[in-house]
Amino acid sequence: MMEGRLVLGIGLGFSVLTSVLLAFLFGTSFDLSFLNIFLLLIFAMGCGGVLSSLLHYMLPRKRAVGGEVVDHDSHNTEALLKKPRIDSLISSSGAVKVTSATENDNKDIGSSGQNNCSNNNSGSDVVGLANMALGDGNPPDIDEDLHSRQLAVYGRETMRRLFGSNILISGMQGLGCEIAKNLILAGVKSVTLHDEGTVELWDLSSNFIFSGDDVGKNRALASVQKLQELNNAVLISTLTTELTKEKLSDFQAVIFTDICLDKAIVFDEYCHNHQPPISFIKADIRGLFGSVFCDFGPEFNVIDVDGEEPHTGIIASISNDNPALVSCVDDERLEFQDGDLVVFSEVEGMSELNDGKPRKVKNARPYSFTLVDDTTNYGAYAKGGIVTQVKQPKLLHFKTLREALKDPGDFLLSDFSKFDRPPLLHLAFQALDKFVCEAGCFPVAGSEDDAQKLISLAIDINLGSGDGKLEEIDQKLLRLFAFGARAVLNPMAAMFGGIVGQEVVKACSGKFHPLFQFFYFDSVESLPTEPLDPDDVKPLNSRYDAQISVFGSKLQKKLEEAKVFMVGSGALGCEFLKNLAMMGVCCSEKGKLTITDDDVIEKSNLSRQFLFRDWNIGQAKSTVAASAATSINPCLHVEALQNRASPETENVFNDAFWENLNVVINALDNVNARLYIDQRCLYFQKPLLESGTLGAKCNTQMVIPHLTENYGASRDPPEKQAPMCTVHSFPHNIDHCLTWARSEFEGLLEKTPAEVNAYLSNPSEYTAAMKNAGDAQARDNLERVIECLDGERCETFQDCITWARLKFEDYFANRVKQLTYTFPEDASTSTGAPFWSAPKRFPRPLQFSAEDPGHLHYIMAGSILRAETFGIPIPDWANNPKKLADAVNKVIVPDFQPRKGVKIVTDEKATSLSTASVDDGAVINDLIMRLEESWKKLPPGFRMNPIQFEKDDDTNYHMDLIAALANMRARNYSIPEVDKLKAKFIAGRIIPAIATATAMATGLVCLELYKVLDAGHKLEDYRNTFANLALPLFSMAEPVPPKVIKHQDMSWTVWDRWILRDNPTLRDLLQWLKDKGLNAYSISCGSSLLYNSMFPRHRDRMDKRVVDLAREVARVEVPPYRNHLDVVVACEDDEDNDIDIPQVSIYFR
């Protein structure tokens, strides 16, 4: 309607203007009869329609209008549409209509069932914003560049369900804001924010959206604009008056973060009994205590319990028994469990198993299992076969909140040292609700009277609990619970925001197992070690008052004066920066936060790294993140650097820098960088807070000087790499095909063109280097350069098509023919075993066909990228299938005859496919002569354009070519093909990531940060965590202490470093060690030996300064920013037993 009014208005305006203009031009009184006006009106409305359409496409529409708010109460309309639950989503093919100007704008919203929309007076305002967010009601396509990491976790189907989901969040304090952030980043269809209260200074401790200017405004209204910036594809609206249960019918899931139990019970029962049921979540944060309750209805179908890929195995043998024994090759351990269902395929001989019928596994072992099947009368197993797990859905029956309060069932545990804590907290939260209902306010921090009243209420509730009555109540814990009950702490909000956000995704999609049904958590260990004085927790009229009410003003001062180094400002880094700013860390003149990251912002970052916006793409991450963090808290004292923390930047991050730090926070995405920072923290004895995520999983590790082991003390085993011969000749899964495809891509389009340019830049130097090398690698390099400049040089786009077509024949026909000629299907190994036995798969050559879309897609991508390397213009018809097919059919493909004596590498330990030859030198000389001849034929200034693989640009044809190469190879070996997205995940080595896991990890780390900066906490106070939000699983445990080495009355760990000052001589060093009962027999610096007791001439060095010896013998240049030198000393005791001592540092300045 709004567009119709716009057109009508513009048309009327044009009619009047046109009439006046004509009268003016003709200089007469123009006859404005009804007919003339009518005709002019029609003409002008047409012009107006054209102009409106032009404006529609010309004006930017992605970003929402700043400050535009949709308030359901003030407009008296129901703008959000109810979508059916997950069961309906699977089977329904209906459409949901969105009211718009014309019927043509009523489009299908995915497969979300049918519903009606009734809009009142100002519904057009809501629809206007909906159109901006959702593109005129069309189901939004998944932006794979933006959501690639999330797609790797959820898959397309889950994402589509999310895109059709409407969510209500009631309570916009810190927890509500965190949940909203995570869901908006995930890309739900709409989020409605409900809150009747106004922003208080108190809220600034936990809600990163609010600023001092928002105090006094409605919380929901104050949140809309900044939340909208996170994702313009999500419709964000508000409710600011009392919520009624009837309004809940507009949503798939409703979340309450600030609601009394009585009202929650009413709302939950409405949601539970609604058809279809509405998922209900109640979450509370009270100081260092938190709770979550989930009710997804009487019957909730979990489609995918854990989100893991179905496990598979390659069959080696199957017995004709009852039950049958299935053995698999020892290529990889089987992950089957007893009771799993599996299906068989490609089994030869015992073909009865290929019927697709799921069969139950029992007696699962690492490389075998038995079937609950009698195969006695089946055909005898011959060879081959794949066994694949069949993932089963799970039906859950949720209780209502009223029922679950009385009979909560099993609580989800997070810390097994607190196994008795959940029942007590179940009681505590009920007592707090009763306290607030009676007193009209929360207990006052530090008030013993309020704490005793809450304890009394808890005791009364416990007495009436019947069989669920607790034998003993920990009053000390309830006292701590009462003191912090009013506060919403940012780290707790971040942690629970991740947990609850993930539960909402489960509710809307059926992906992953829901939390069933209560989860309680506390982190009382984060409190200061010294008892808090009541005066210390009184409010100071500051933004940190909520945090002060829990931790006291003394710890708050320590937080503000901390000196913190954060390495990385990506997904983890953005969350950490937000948390630190909210906590007040480094927010005084004495404090300082240094962040560093050498990366720049890419589009794929925006779905998780919430401090960045699309206009920041290409800018430095650390700079943008620091700026965004200061907008959250202007007092944050932060310096942003773009240096990679590495040995090369130790002039930037020098000794003085490290020695001045209180704590280091890692926000990194690779192990090598983590290990380097770990070594620096060890060296300077600084606490390191480590965390990481992988899909729905996250872990945290606390590295505390002298208390815990360091990060590098225990490592995961290295990832198993497929042997080179498997990748190049004997692939048996799509990963092998994609590894090969990426290797070929880089060889053809990056390495060879770069090698060509290296030769052309300096021919004489290049050829001299090849002669000096004189090996198989040099020979291969020369052959590739000659091939590129001579036999395969392209001058026209048709040449590029020819090259791609001939490569197809080489890769997918000729090489396979040669392989099967050298090793026929009946070939045997030297032991007489069949050569083509599992896991090897016998290949078949492909016959090219321009009618095959896969073949033609390969030609298109290959020829376009080949043209790019040669700087050849790409014609408009390059991606036209018909014209491309005509061009490729012109290519003459020579016949191929397999040759005898061709060596194909089959050794799994081989590291190169190139074979050395005694006459490599002579061959290289001949190749250099040929190369010089090719060079003479090149046009002046000829250079190639190497292409560096970029996975996150879907328009560059990189992934098109890699996916096509991999899928053609998969066809050769009868391996199931994958789509381009799946190929991108594997070949691009994309790490799956979602905002919820990141938020949870950083929240947990910041709870540990309180302990680190308070100082004085014991090992048992710290927690390392592993969590899997998909299951859900939370496993918290004390860190492992470091290994202690003892000698005489001394002991030390990896954390110790022995320091000698005053520029000692070699004799001084030896005597210093002797005084400790240690006899040094070797002292080295770097790779040079400064002293060895076996060498008599080394005794002449006794009176030389150690630093002078290092300069003289080891050629060490000590930079001006360093005032010490490190040496490694090998010692033994008086009984000649070797003793590992700490590193020794010699201070000379």
Side-chain angles (χ1 to χ4, degrees):
M1 290 300 296
M2 187 168 63
E3 290 184 3
R5 290 196 298 268
L6 177 64
V7 171
L8 181 60
I10 292 173
L12 289 169
F14 263 81
S15 66
V16 174
L17 286 173
T18 305
S19 302
V20 173
L21 181 62
L22 288 173
F24 177 77
L25 289 174
F26 286 99
T28 61
S29 58
F30 188 69
D31 182 13
L32 294 178
S33 66
F34 174 79
L35 180 60
N36 287 336
I37 291 176
F38 182 72
L39 292 173
L40 284 168
L41 178 61
I42 293 173
F43 171 75
M45 288 181 68
C47 294
V50 172
L51 179 60
S52 176
S53 299
L54 287 171
L55 288 171
H56 177 84
Y57 289 104
M58 290 170 66
L59 294 178
R61 305 180 69 239
K62 183 180 179 185
R63 190 152 302 283
V65 176
E68 184 170 354
V69 175
V70 182
D71 189 329
H72 289 257
D73 299 300
S74 61
H75 291 292
N76 190 29
T77 183
E78 292 183 18
L80 297 182
L81 303 177
K82 172 66 184 171
K83 298 294 179 294
R85 297 258 314 171
I86 184 63
D87 304 327
S88 304
L89 286 168
I90 297 169
S91 59
S92 173
S93 59
V96 178
K97 288 191 173 183
V98 178
T99 302
S100 188
T102 65
E103 188 63 19
N104 291 334
D105 285 327
N106 295 332
K107 305 291 185 181
D108 292 351
I109 308 293
S111 55
S112 303
Q114 290 187 340
N115 217 326
N116 294 322
C117 177
S118 57
N119 289 320
N120 290 340
N121 307 334
S122 48
S124 58
D125 291 341
V126 178
V127 174
L129 187 55
N131 286 347
M132 181 171 288
L134 295 174
D136 298 331
N138 288 314
D141 292 329
I142 298 173
D143 186 336
E144 294 181 3
D145 285 346
L146 178 64
H147 292 293
S148 58
R149 276 60 177 174
Q150 185 170 298
L151 275 164
V153 180
Y154 293 146
R156 283 196 180 92
E157 193 55 41
T158 295
M159 290 287 289
R160 289 192 183 102
R161 292 174 190 145
L162 280 178
F163 283 3
S165 299
N166 300 312
I167 312 300
L168 170 72
I169 300 172
S170 178
M172 284 307 295
Q173 294 174 310
L175 178 55
C177 177
E178 290 286 339
I179 296 167
K181 175 203 69 182
N182 294 330
L183 293 175
I184 291 166
L185 290 172
V188 296
K189 180 183 177 184
S190 73
V191 173
T192 298
L193 313 174
H194 168 251
D195 202 307
E196 300 165 41
T198 57
V199 178
E200 302 173 21
L201 189 62
W202 184 273
D203 294 324
L204 270 60
S205 284
S206 60
N207 189 314
F208 70 92
I209 292 295
F210 297 154
S211 68
D213 294 337
D214 294 318
V215 173
K217 298 178 183 177
N218 175 272
R219 289 196 191 102
L221 296 175
S223 302
V224 173
Q225 183 176 348
K226 290 181 182 177
L227 287 174
Q228 185 69 75
E229 288 181 2
L230 298 176
N231 188 346
N232 295 307
V234 177
L235 168 63
I236 302 175
S237 52
T238 62
L239 285 165
T240 58
T241 57
E242 185 176 0
L243 189 65
T244 61
K245 61 185 180 181
E246 288 76 20
K247 287 186 179 178
L248 303 183
S249 61
D250 289 331
F251 309 98
Q252 276 74 61
V254 294
I255 306 99
F256 293 89
T257 67
D258 187 18
I259 187 173
C260 68
L261 265 179
D262 289 342
K263 187 172 283 189
I265 287 169
V266 172
F267 284 167
D268 172 61
E269 288 185 346
Y270 177 83
C271 293
H272 189 88
N273 297 320
H274 191 273
Q275 288 301 321
I278 303 162
S279 295
F280 175 93
I281 299 174
K282 182 181 185 296
D284 290 284
I285 294 173
R286 303 299 169 203
L288 288 166
F289 299 80
S291 75
V292 180
F293 169 78
C294 295
D295 174 11
F296 292 175
E299 292 188 346
F300 182 81
N301 193 31
V302 184
I303 299 168
D304 184 353
V305 173
D306 58 13
E308 303 292 339
E309 290 288 328
H311 302 305
T312 63
I314 300 171
I315 298 167
S317 66
I318 307 174
S319 66
N320 289 91
D321 284 320
N322 184 18
L325 176 66
V326 181
S327 298
C328 294
V329 299
D330 58 1
D331 190 52
E332 288 184 9
R333 291 172 62 94
L334 295 174
E335 299 292 339
F336 299 143
Q337 296 180 354
D338 288 2
D340 279 354
L341 295 178
V342 295
V343 293
F344 292 82
S345 59
E346 303 180 27
V347 177
E348 296 186 28
M350 197 177 287
S351 56
E352 293 89 343
L353 290 178
N354 295 330
D355 58 5
K357 172 187 171 185
R359 292 172 164 82
K360 187 172 286 189
V361 167
K362 68 176 185 177
N363 299 329
R365 304 284 176 85
Y367 302 104
S368 67
F369 59 90
T370 55
L371 285 177
V372 188
D373 274 55
D374 181 359
T375 61
T376 307
N377 299 319
Y378 288 8
Y381 174 80
K383 65 175 183 178
I386 304 291
V387 58
T388 305
Q389 177 191 26
V390 178
K391 301 196 74 172
Q392 295 294 299
K394 183 177 181 179
L395 189 64
L396 296 177
H397 302 280
F398 285 84
K399 298 175 186 175
T400 63
L401 179 57
R402 187 191 299 276
E403 296 167 332
L405 284 170
K406 296 176 183 176
D407 181 17
D410 294 331
F411 296 103
L412 178 63
L413 279 175
S414 61
D415 188 337
F416 286 98
S417 68
K418 303 177 180 179
F419 68 92
D420 57 346
R421 191 66 57 82
L424 179 59
L425 296 184
H426 187 64
L427 193 64
F429 275 92
Q430 293 179 66
L432 178 63
D433 179 77
K434 197 166 185 181
F435 181 103
V436 174
C437 288
E438 292 180 1
C441 63
F442 286 98
V444 175
S447 169
E448 294 291 347
D449 290 341
D450 284 357
Q452 286 304 315
K453 182 178 178 182
L454 185 139
I455 292 169
S456 299
L457 289 170
I459 292 171
D460 291 344
I461 295 170
N462 186 51
L463 290 174
S465 297
D467 294 339
K469 177 184 173 184
L470 300 181
E471 296 296 323
E472 186 178 349
I473 290 179
D474 186 344
Q475 296 192 17
K476 181 180 177 182
L477 187 77
L478 291 181
R479 178 174 170 271
L480 295 176
F481 177 76
F483 285 170
R486 185 189 169 200
V488 178
L489 300 174
N490 174 261
M492 291 288 290
M495 174 193 169
F496 275 79
I499 294 171
V500 176
Q502 195 62 56
E503 293 307 307
V504 176
V505 172
K506 297 172 187 180
C508 296
S509 67
K511 182 84 168 183
F512 304 154
H513 195 292
L515 193 159
F516 193 81
Q517 291 186 252
F518 278 108
F519 173 66
Y520 291 102
F521 172 86
D522 74 86
S523 183
V524 292
E525 302 81 14
S526 297
L527 288 169
T529 52
E530 297 294 326
L532 291 171
D533 187 273
D535 290 336
D536 198 31
V537 297
K538 288 182 178 178
L540 303 177
N541 196 32
S542 82
R543 65 177 295 147
Y544 312 118
D545 279 350
Q547 188 165 262
I548 288 170
S549 73
V550 176
F551 294 100
S553 56
K554 291 177 184 175
L555 179 55
Q556 184 61 45
K557 185 178 179 183
K558 291 180 181 179
L559 296 176
E560 292 176 32
E561 295 181 353
K563 295 171 181 65
V564 180
F565 182 32
M566 193 175 82
V567 191
S569 54
L572 286 166
C574 285
E575 288 284 345
F576 275 129
L577 273 169
K578 175 256 298 176
N579 294 351
L580 297 179
M582 298 300 296
M583 294 164 66
V585 177
C586 308
C587 289
S588 76
E589 286 302 316
K590 291 184 179 179
K592 184 177 181 183
L593 171 62
T594 304
I595 63 171
T596 190
D597 195 316
D598 66 342
D599 201 3
V600 296
I601 298 165
E602 300 175 356
K603 185 178 180 181
S604 61
N605 302 147
L606 303 182
S607 64
R608 305 173 326 285
Q609 301 173 23
F610 75 100
L611 296 182
F612 307 145
R613 304 292 179 262
D614 51 9
W615 58 79
N616 297 131
I617 291 173
Q619 299 174 13
K621 283 187 176 181
S622 60
T623 306
V624 175
S627 176
T630 53
S631 69
I632 293 173
N633 186 347
C635 295
L636 182 65
H637 187 199
V638 59
E639 180 183 12
L641 303 174
Q642 286 84 48
N643 304 93
R644 182 188 295 267
S646 67
E648 292 73 31
T649 57
E650 288 181 9
N651 61 322
V652 178
F653 308 113
N654 55 28
D655 295 5
F657 172 82
W658 280 96
E659 288 166 355
N660 197 39
L661 295 174
N662 296 114
V663 64
V664 180
I665 299 174
N666 265 354
L668 292 161
D669 61 359
N670 69 89
V671 172
N672 289 336
R674 286 184 168 105
L675 290 171
Y676 172 75
I677 298 297
D678 177 55
Q679 287 303 309
R680 294 273 86 191
C681 289
L682 266 180
Y683 189 87
F684 291 100
Q685 301 185 16
K686 300 299 177 183
L688 171 64
L689 308 187
E690 171 61 56
S691 58
T693 69
L694 179 67
K697 306 179 186 76
C698 71
N699 72 283
T700 68
Q701 181 179 352
M702 302 304 107
V703 180
I704 311 299
H706 307 291
L707 288 184
T708 74
E709 68 177 7
N710 63 307
Y711 172 79
S714 58
R715 302 188 195 179
D716 293 331
E719 193 173 322
K720 188 176 179 181
Q721 299 290 328
M724 187 170 289
C725 66
T726 299
V727 171
H728 283 270
S729 299
F730 309 107
H732 54 80
N733 61 42
I734 196 64
D735 289 46
H736 297 155
C737 298
L738 283 160
T739 301
W740 170 84
R742 177 161 175 179
S743 174
E744 291 300 311
F745 177 99
E746 291 173 344
L748 291 170
L749 301 171
E750 181 182 1
K751 293 178 181 177
T752 298
E755 200 75 23
V756 167
N757 289 347
Y759 167 71
L760 295 175
S761 297
N762 196 326
S764 58
E765 185 179 305
Y766 181 87
T767 53
M770 293 298 109
K771 285 180 181 179
N772 290 337
D775 56 8
Q777 184 62 53
R779 186 190 68 206
D780 285 353
N781 286 346
L782 286 167
E783 287 174 346
R784 285 189 288 117
V785 172
I786 292 169
E787 190 177 58
C788 195
L789 292 180
D790 191 4
E792 296 184 354
R793 183 158 72 91
C794 299
E795 296 180 346
T796 66
F797 192 72
Q798 181 63 47
D799 292 341
C800 299
I801 292 173
T802 301
W803 173 86
R805 174 65 184 88
L806 295 180
K807 277 293 177 188
F808 181 98
E809 201 68 18
D810 176 41
Y811 284 147
F812 311 120
N814 299 348
R815 293 190 189 186
V816 173
K817 291 174 184 176
Q818 182 64 60
L819 180 63
T820 55
Y821 178 82
T822 304
F823 301 110
E825 195 166 5
D826 58 357
S828 300
T829 65
S830 57
T831 62
F835 180 84
W836 292 102
S837 58
K840 290 188 179 76
R841 302 171 73 91
F842 187 76
R844 310 283 177 188
L846 298 185
Q847 178 68 44
F848 180 83
S849 169
E851 304 299 318
D852 188 309
H855 294 189
L856 206 58
H857 196 73
Y858 158 79
I859 296 294
M860 178 190 69
S863 57
I864 287 174
L865 291 174
R866 183 67 169 178
E868 191 177 320
T869 62
F870 278 93
I872 297 169
I874 299 167
D876 295 339
W877 54 265
N879 52 12
N880 182 305
K882 186 177 184 307
K883 292 185 177 180
L884 196 63
D886 293 340
V888 78
N889 285 332
K890 296 175 184 176
V891 178
I892 299 171
V893 180
D895 292 334
F896 174 78
Q897 277 299 118
R899 293 176 288 124
K900 290 183 179 180
V902 173
K903 182 172 176 56
I904 297 175
V905 176
T906 59
D907 182 6
E908 293 191 354
K909 296 179 181 179
T911 58
S912 173
L913 299 179
S914 302
T915 54
S917 172
V918 292
D919 59 349
D920 274 341
V923 172
I924 285 172
N925 287 331
D926 180 58
L927 290 171
I928 288 172
M929 291 176 63
R930 288 176 53 196
L931 182 55
E932 289 172 349
E933 290 299 316
S934 300
W935 177 40
K936 293 174 184 177
K937 301 174 185 176
L938 296 175
F942 175 83
R943 290 290 187 278
M944 293 193 70
N945 304 312
I947 296 174
Q948 192 167 9
F949 174 59
E950 172 49 60
K951 61 182 177 291
D952 285 323
D953 181 356
D954 278 343
T955 65
N956 63 12
Y957 293 98
H958 295 191
M959 277 312 309
D960 294 85
L961 180 59
I962 287 177
L965 283 167
N967 283 332
M968 294 306 100
R969 190 168 179 81
R971 289 188 194 182
N972 281 139
Y973 289 86
S974 301
I975 295 169
E977 299 176 33
V978 291
D979 62 15
K980 181 178 164 184
L981 183 64
K982 181 74 171 178
K984 180 196 284 192
F985 296 155
I986 300 170
R989 304 180 188 118
I990 286 177
I991 298 173
I994 47 178
T996 50
T998 305
M1000 180 183 179
T1002 58
L1004 287 165
V1005 168
C1006 289
L1007 288 172
E1008 302 299 308
L1009 182 61
Y1010 288 123
K1011 306 171 190 177
V1012 172
L1013 293 179
D1014 178 54
H1017 283 264
K1018 299 177 182 178
L1019 177 69
E1020 54 266 28
D1021 292 332
Y1022 288 96
R1023 292 290 184 273
N1024 289 347
T1025 302
F1026 171 78
N1028 186 342
L1029 290 173
L1031 299 178
L1033 166 72
F1034 306 101
S1035 177
M1036 306 182 77
E1038 293 175 18
V1040 177
K1043 179 184 176 183
V1044 179
I1045 299 171
K1046 294 184 178 181
H1047 172 67
Q1048 296 179 356
D1049 59 345
M1050 296 183 296
S1051 64
W1052 58 85
T1053 70
V1054 68
W1055 284 101
D1056 289 287
R1057 178 164 60 104
W1058 286 351
I1059 295 173
L1060 273 80
R1061 300 190 182 275
D1062 302 325
N1063 201 9
T1065 63
L1066 182 58
R1067 189 185 304 278
D1068 295 335
L1069 173 56
L1070 293 173
Q1071 186 59 47
W1072 186 81
L1073 292 166
K1074 185 74 175 174
D1075 294 343
K1076 295 178 179 292
L1078 297 165
N1079 303 311
Y1081 61 83
S1082 175
I1083 302 173
S1084 60
C1085 179
S1087 58
S1088 297
L1089 197 62
L1090 302 185
Y1091 169 78
N1092 191 294
S1093 60
M1094 301 283 291
F1095 298 164
R1097 62 196 175 109
H1098 282 191
R1099 292 172 192 158
D1100 299 336
R1101 301 176 176 177
M1102 286 293 186
D1103 295 318
K1104 289 190 175 183
R1105 304 286 180 187
V1106 176
V1107 66
D1108 294 334
L1109 271 178
R1111 288 173 176 145
E1112 189 180 306
V1113 177
R1115 300 287 190 269
V1116 170
E1117 291 294 332
V1118 183
Y1121 56 81
R1122 179 155 295 159
N1123 58 4
H1124 71 275
L1125 182 79
D1126 299 318
V1127 294
V1128 176
V1129 183
C1131 294
E1132 56 190 15
D1133 60 16
D1134 293 335
E1135 283 77 39
D1136 297 335
N1137 298 311
D1138 279 336
I1139 306 292
D1140 290 329
I1141 71 168
Q1143 192 173 46
V1144 177
S1145 293
I1146 309 295
Y1147 278 74
F1148 57 88
R1149 286 180 182 147

